[in-house]
Amino acid sequence: MAQVVLVVACGGSGTRNGGGSSHDGDAVASLDLHDPAVMQGHIVRLIEMAGSGDSITTAKEVTGFFDGIKHDEEVIALADSLVAAYLNDPNSPVRDEAKYIFFLENMLKSDTLPEAVRERGRERLRIARINRPGMVAADFDYIDIFGKRHSLHDEINGTTLLVFYDPECGHCSEILNELAGSRMVNEAIGNGELKVLAIYAEGKRSVWDKSKRSMPGNWQTGYDVTGILDKDLYDLPAMPTLYLLDADCRVIAKDLSPSAFRSNQ
């Protein structure tokens, strides 16, 4: 399969590559969708439509698009990889979990998908729906740097930035240092307006033990003892992953970048 290269041109009127709603099965079948450039043009068009506000029409377009692909597994794999690359890859500049869920929901309405593709789509949809904004964040237990056991729900009593990190990840260190050096973050912590809870949820306990006291002193640092990844409690596509929670442990924002976190303050 050809390498997927993102061409970011989303946010237009949804009329690229031939204008309005035309993704019925016959129209799709007449196109050379084995060509990554042709396929990419159609995926971009559907993403643009998903942002247009006409969800009913776009839903029919997405389902009809996958109906038109029928049982061509190579084309289905290309379409699937492009949708994921645009809307679900942590490094995509147009990443949008709500749109990704929309695509998965309407892709799964197609009657022509191979069962293996359908099963993979169901699993991705299940993961994407975990800890959505407005939901109560999944609870888990962790130990702090002194060995005391806590649960997330018992500890949340105000706005909390929940940071999943890896002490051996260089990119994590850059982001954590940016947060630790942020005057806005430190002022919010000092004023009692924010708590930062940094959790190591993967890897060995010995790695965390060696690094735990290097974390900022005004943060709470913990090691997951529930098995967050084994139990699929959180989707952690890349480290660090940031969640902003309110005093009731409801998700305000999910998988934030530091800049997006600042805009939520």
Side-chain angles (χ1 to χ4, degrees):
M1 184 188 300
Q3 182 180 7
V4 174
V5 179
L6 294 188
V7 177
V8 180
C10 300
S13 62
T15 58
R16 296 165 60 92
N17 298 309
S21 300
S22 60
H23 277 307
D24 56 52
D26 292 338
V28 172
S30 68
L31 299 171
D32 181 14
L33 295 179
H34 291 87
D35 182 341
V38 174
M39 175 66 83
Q40 184 155 302
H42 283 280
I43 295 299
V44 168
R45 175 179 176 274
L46 288 172
I47 292 172
E48 289 176 345
M49 288 186 65
S52 70
D54 188 353
S55 59
I56 295 176
T57 298
T58 307
K60 291 178 180 178
E61 289 270 323
V62 173
T63 303
F65 178 75
F66 283 96
D67 281 340
I69 292 173
K70 298 189 184 298
H71 296 286
D72 191 326
E73 294 196 19
E74 180 181 348
V75 171
I76 291 172
L78 178 57
D80 183 50
S81 66
L82 282 166
V83 170
Y86 273 103
L87 298 180
N88 196 48
D89 190 307
N91 297 314
S92 170
V94 292
R95 186 184 187 198
D96 189 320
E97 188 177 64
K99 287 184 182 178
Y100 188 54
I101 289 172
F102 177 86
F103 267 78
L104 290 172
E105 288 174 340
N106 289 288
M107 179 188 79
L108 290 170
K109 292 178 183 177
S110 171
D111 296 327
T112 63
L113 289 178
E115 186 54 36
V117 176
R118 188 178 301 281
E119 184 60 31
R120 185 169 65 245
R122 290 192 194 103
E123 177 62 12
R124 289 180 177 178
L125 181 58
R126 183 191 67 78
I127 291 172
R129 286 172 169 167
I130 294 173
N131 298 310
R132 295 281 295 144
M135 297 174 63
V136 174
D139 197 15
F140 59 86
D141 287 353
Y142 62 93
I143 56 171
D144 65 22
I145 62 173
F146 304 107
K148 184 178 179 181
R149 190 174 183 122
H150 307 264
S151 75
L152 177 70
H153 285 187
D154 286 345
E155 288 299 312
I156 298 295
N157 54 16
T159 303
T160 299
L161 181 64
L162 175 60
V163 180
F164 293 101
Y165 78 105
D166 180 350
E168 296 184 309
C169 164
H171 179 62
C172 280
S173 295
E174 293 176 7
I175 300 299
L176 296 184
N177 288 338
E178 180 180 347
L179 290 171
S182 167
R183 185 173 68 178
M184 181 198 73
V185 171
N186 287 312
E187 286 180 353
I189 294 172
N191 294 333
E193 298 170 355
L194 179 71
K195 174 191 289 186
V196 178
L197 172 60
I199 298 294
Y200 182 35
E202 58 181 14
K204 296 180 180 179
R205 168 74 183 273
S206 59
V207 172
W208 181 73
D209 281 334
K210 290 178 182 178
S211 63
K212 62 188 179 183
R213 294 188 183 275
S214 66
M215 298 293 282
N218 58 353
W219 294 14
Q220 188 170 10
T221 303
Y223 179 82
D224 163 45
V225 292
T226 293
I228 288 171
L229 294 178
D230 290 341
K231 296 181 179 180
D232 284 335
L233 296 181
Y234 287 79
D235 179 28
L236 306 178
M239 292 294 174
T241 297
L242 279 58
Y243 284 76
L244 188 63
L245 311 179
D246 70 11
D248 296 318
C249 217
R250 292 191 179 275
V251 177
I252 299 171
K254 175 180 178 180
D255 202 3
L256 285 162
S257 66
S259 59
F261 165 65
R262 287 192 293 268
S263 70
N264 272 274
Q265 292 300 290

